[in-house]
Amino acid sequence: MIQIKNPTELKLMLKAGELAAQALAQAGKNAVAGISTWELDRIVNDYIVSHGGHSPCKGYGGFPGHNCFSVNEELIHGIPSKKKILKEGDIISCDIVAELDGFMGDNTKTFRVGKVSEEAERLMKATEEALYKGIEQAVAGNRVGDISHAVQTHVESYGYAVVKKFIGHGVGREMHEDPEVPNYGKAGRGPRLTPGMTIAIEPMVNSHFPEVNILGDKWTVVTTDGSLSCHFEHTVAITNSEPLIMTLEHH
Ligand code: MF3
Ligand code: CO
């Protein structure tokens, strides 16, 4: 069932979104050559906790970290590790969820570590643009398929592939609520968008093929050919007018 949030709930959720966005910015600032993803996870979690929130991914389905850090061919669900040290030219997707006063914000950016390849730049541009193409469609009266279709079309116009095995989702008191928000599909299909719905739109994009593998750690999702992948995400509320991006650092 889709949980519609009332104005009071939306205000609380905006605060959680802000905290998630600020925590993500901390990850971006600290994603430099030489740092481990374990250390990044610690910095982000400390930030969230010191601002009154917590990291609901910790322990979710047994996930061992506080948040997900995925480097290069790793698409999503990278486990923070002291052995995973960033180096110049890497790209790192930081997927950060913060819970504050009973509500969650979920957001992701892929950051550059120093100077990255032109190939990486183009992939990041396509994926972030696709996120905003999806957000543009997040208006009352549209259907979820309008978002999905906009994301897929944009990604494929670059010759890249959307991943089908993992999808966006409703978000609120729970990290994963209805509806499902795939990054592929037909316009005009799926649940109708109505004011008060809050969803995580999150294009997950591979350079070559849509397929992914899961590593032996049972979490890390990687491209099958070792090529780059990319992930951007915002939590967005459907309103009576423009889509409201909840995961911004300042509202
Ligand atoms: N942030 C992820 C999402 O968008 C969830 C992370 S999986 C977890 O759904 F196990 F780390 F929680
Ligand atoms: Co999400």
Side-chain angles (χ1 to χ4, degrees):
M1 208 181 86
I2 296 175
Q3 305 291 329
I4 301 298
K5 282 80 182 178
N6 66 35
T8 311
E9 293 171 323
L10 286 172
K11 254 184 217 151
L12 287 173
M13 225 178 125
L14 216 46
K15 287 287 168 201
E18 244 175 36
L19 180 55
Q22 290 162 358
L24 177 58
Q26 292 297 314
K29 242 192 267 176
N30 287 284
V32 295
I35 198 169
S36 73
T37 59
W38 184 89
E39 184 65 14
L40 278 180
D41 192 50
R42 190 188 63 75
I43 291 168
V44 169
N45 185 57
D46 284 355
Y47 186 89
I48 290 172
V49 168
S50 73
H51 287 78
H54 82 116
S55 300
C57 290
K58 173 84 178 174
Y60 184 93
F63 186 73
H66 298 94
N67 282 290
C68 303
F69 298 88
S70 310
V71 180
N72 295 336
E73 79 284 0
E74 299 173 353
L75 173 69
I76 50 170
H77 298 173
I79 300 174
S81 166
K82 287 184 178 170
K83 288 186 204 143
K84 191 103 194 170
I85 313 283
L86 298 186
K87 56 183 194 319
E88 174 85 15
D90 283 344
I91 58 173
I92 176 169
S93 302
C94 304
D95 184 349
I96 309 300
V97 187
E99 181 169 2
L100 182 67
D101 295 332
F103 285 93
M104 300 196 195
D106 185 2
N107 64 171
T108 306
K109 281 181 182 170
T110 300
F111 296 105
R112 315 162 169 73
V113 180
K115 190 171 161 42
V116 305
S117 67
E118 264 175 47
E119 186 195 352
E121 288 288 351
R122 185 169 179 272
L123 178 66
M124 290 168 70
K125 180 172 185 285
T127 308
E128 191 168 22
E129 284 172 1
L131 169 60
Y132 285 94
K133 293 285 180 187
I135 292 173
E136 256 175 46
Q137 296 298 320
V139 293
N142 273 5
R143 291 181 183 271
V144 169
D146 294 310
I147 298 172
S148 307
H149 180 74
V151 169
Q152 180 176 23
T153 308
H154 195 74
V155 167
E156 292 179 352
S157 76
Y158 275 83
Y160 298 136
V162 290
V163 170
K164 298 191 169 170
K165 193 170 174 169
F166 296 92
I167 57 180
H169 49 90
V171 55
R173 291 189 188 274
E174 305 291 333
M175 186 157 47
H176 296 142
E177 299 182 350
D178 286 338
E180 295 188 337
V181 185
N183 294 307
Y184 60 94
K186 291 196 168 71
R189 301 283 179 88
R192 181 84 67 188
L193 302 174
T194 59
M197 282 175 62
T198 48
I199 56 176
I201 302 176
E202 49 179 319
M204 289 164 252
V205 177
N206 286 351
S207 304
H208 298 139
F209 311 114
E211 292 79 17
V212 290
N213 290 329
I214 298 178
L215 295 185
D217 64 15
K218 304 243 174 62
W219 280 100
T220 314
V221 177
V222 296
T223 57
T224 52
D225 63 348
S227 63
L228 293 177
S229 60
C230 187
H231 184 199
F232 280 85
E233 173 181 33
H234 270 308
T235 297
V236 177
I238 315 301
T239 74
N240 285 311
S241 55
E242 302 286 296
L244 172 60
I245 300 177
M246 309 197 95
T247 38
L248 295 177
E249 285 178 67
H250 305 286
H251 279 108

